[in-house]
Amino acid sequence: MSIATPEKTALKLGFVPLLDCAPLVIAREKGFFATEGLNVVLSRESNWANIRDKVSFGLLDGAQMLSPMPLAATLGLGSRPTPMVTGLALSMNGNAVTLSAELYRALSPQLRDRPNPAEVGNALKQWISTLRTKPVFATVYPYSCQHYQLRYWLTASGINPDTDVTLIAVPPTQMISTMHDRMIDGYCAGEPWNSLAQQCGEGTVALTGYQIWPDSIEKVFGVTQHWADAHPNTHEALIRALVNACEWLSHNDNHAEALELLRLPPYLDQSAIPLGQSDTVLPIMQSFFGPGVNCPSLSHAHLMLEQMERWGQWHGGDRDQIARQVYRHDIYSKALGLERFSQHA
């Protein structure tokens, strides 16, 4: 496979401090970006709206994104329309629903040890029926797997997410403090903000995103369509570097080093803890590499668009056209020399 010279080599990429920013951190710290001739600076952002806006306005060349974000930005949901694309899925699974310690204690008489989602949902429904005011739950962004997973689980439990509870958006890094201040009763977020809540006694991990939607793409690498068109060689180089980082992360022997790198001050700054390694948390089945993980899945794009339509965020259109415009398995395949084996789902 011949590799073309990148059009742009000095790049600034954004991330939000979560364990699944690991591919970007590893690609930089272990030299995978440099191997592709790229000089990358990583910019830690406080929330997902910052990521969206800075990529849209060209202040970032690209970023770690929630998997529905490029779709929502392209459709102009929550912001001006900015066509975006993703040529790479960075991670699969990784979310959990954490309830405040006080709420979980209230539900615990009805729960077994490590109850399933239906049991937790039934207990929560009964608890809500005793209240005079609606409980408040948070997700990280209105256009996120966390938002849709929480709604899906609540609905399956007989709880109307629009009338029985109040849903708000809170940045991942502020979930624990917001719950400590009793502003929310629970949240759905990515790691390490679930395990940390349990570790410090503020909350209990009640169920995982994997239990709601098994093997769901969680984060992607996103750029604007304009940037992708202007820098195709650079885009492909970024994808190769990030795939190599994802593969590196898949080896158990590298996990300890990965956590040490994530704990560095520019990244999670000591907040990284082993994922699913404690008996006190449910394993959330997070993965960065493997069959079906990294190629942008059109079926996942369809699922996200279905959720946007179901919950009144999008009023419908040509779902397949939008999915194919944004989720670019062709770019992924070309970057890795897999054109003949391009995945279409």
Side-chain angles (χ1 to χ4, degrees):
M1 180 179 73
S2 61
I3 298 177
T5 302
E7 300 86 359
K8 182 178 183 180
T9 57
L11 303 167
K12 188 175 184 180
L13 306 180
F15 73 95
V16 169
L18 295 150
L19 284 187
D20 53 22
C21 73
L24 278 77
V25 173
I26 296 305
R28 185 182 188 281
E29 295 294 333
K30 297 298 293 182
F32 294 116
F33 285 138
T35 298
E36 296 289 340
L38 306 176
N39 179 17
V40 172
V41 172
L42 296 181
S43 176
R44 173 173 165 155
E45 303 296 332
S46 61
N47 59 64
W48 294 112
N50 280 1
I51 290 279
R52 176 199 64 201
D53 293 344
K54 288 187 176 183
V55 171
S56 295
F57 288 103
L59 300 176
L60 295 170
D61 293 283
Q64 167 207 25
M65 292 185 179
L66 299 155
S67 62
M69 280 183 66
L71 295 163
T74 298
L75 293 169
L77 305 181
S79 64
R80 67 183 181 93
T82 303
M84 290 191 183
V85 301
T86 176
L88 176 65
L90 293 172
S91 64
M92 182 176 283
N93 307 316
N95 298 325
V97 175
T98 294
L99 303 180
S100 71
E102 181 179 9
L103 171 53
Y104 200 83
R105 280 194 298 270
L107 303 185
S108 59
Q110 303 176 59
L111 303 178
R112 302 176 302 163
D113 182 43
R114 300 202 176 193
N116 62 41
E119 291 172 311
V120 178
N122 184 61
L124 180 62
K125 181 182 179 181
Q126 293 183 46
W127 177 75
I128 290 174
S129 71
T130 68
L131 303 179
R132 293 184 177 180
T133 59
K134 295 190 290 187
V136 181
F137 291 89
T139 62
V140 300
Y141 191 67
Y143 313 102
S144 66
C145 286
Q146 292 92 333
H147 185 81
Y148 304 134
Q149 286 171 350
L150 183 61
R151 281 181 170 272
Y152 190 94
W153 170 64
L154 290 171
T155 302
S157 303
I159 301 167
N160 188 317
D162 290 316
T163 60
D164 296 337
V165 301
T166 297
L167 298 182
I168 64 172
V170 174
T173 56
Q174 296 177 25
M175 287 293 188
I176 296 175
S177 60
T178 305
M179 194 155 63
H180 173 79
D181 293 337
R182 298 192 173 186
M183 297 173 66
I184 58 175
D185 298 285
Y187 59 79
C188 185
E191 283 291 289
W193 306 106
N194 302 289
S195 297
L196 287 173
Q198 186 151 309
Q199 191 177 66
C200 70
E202 291 292 343
T204 298
V205 179
L207 64 148
T208 69
Y210 179 82
Q211 291 176 296
I212 301 170
W213 288 344
D215 296 336
S216 173
I217 293 176
E218 175 52 33
K219 299 300 190 301
V220 298
F221 179 71
V223 300
T224 65
Q225 179 70 66
H226 176 77
W227 191 97
D229 291 342
H231 309 94
N233 300 338
T234 303
H235 195 191
E236 291 171 20
L238 283 168
I239 289 171
R240 285 192 297 272
L242 288 166
V243 168
N244 286 332
C246 288
E247 182 178 15
W248 186 91
L249 283 161
S250 72
H251 297 287
N252 290 336
D253 291 347
N254 294 331
H255 287 182
E257 183 180 0
L259 287 167
E260 288 306 312
L261 292 172
L262 285 166
R263 287 188 180 103
L264 293 173
Y267 308 126
L268 271 69
D269 194 15
Q270 299 300 319
S271 296
I273 61 176
L275 187 60
Q277 304 256 331
S278 167
D279 289 337
T280 62
V281 298
L282 297 169
I284 66 172
M285 309 300 288
Q286 189 169 51
S287 55
F288 296 100
F289 182 79
V293 175
N294 299 116
C295 184
S297 164
L298 290 178
S299 61
H300 180 79
H302 277 273
L303 174 62
M304 296 298 97
L305 291 168
E306 288 169 9
Q307 295 302 305
M308 293 172 187
E309 192 168 1
R310 178 182 185 182
W311 301 115
Q313 296 175 324
W314 178 49
H315 298 298
D318 189 336
R319 194 180 295 163
D320 190 61
Q321 186 270 325
I322 296 295
R324 292 180 182 277
Q325 176 184 338
V326 178
Y327 270 54
R328 298 290 300 277
H329 55 78
D330 58 315
I331 294 177
Y332 172 85
S333 297
K334 187 172 185 294
L336 300 183
L338 304 174
E339 292 96 333
R340 289 182 301 165
F341 312 103
S342 179
Q343 300 178 39
H344 294 279

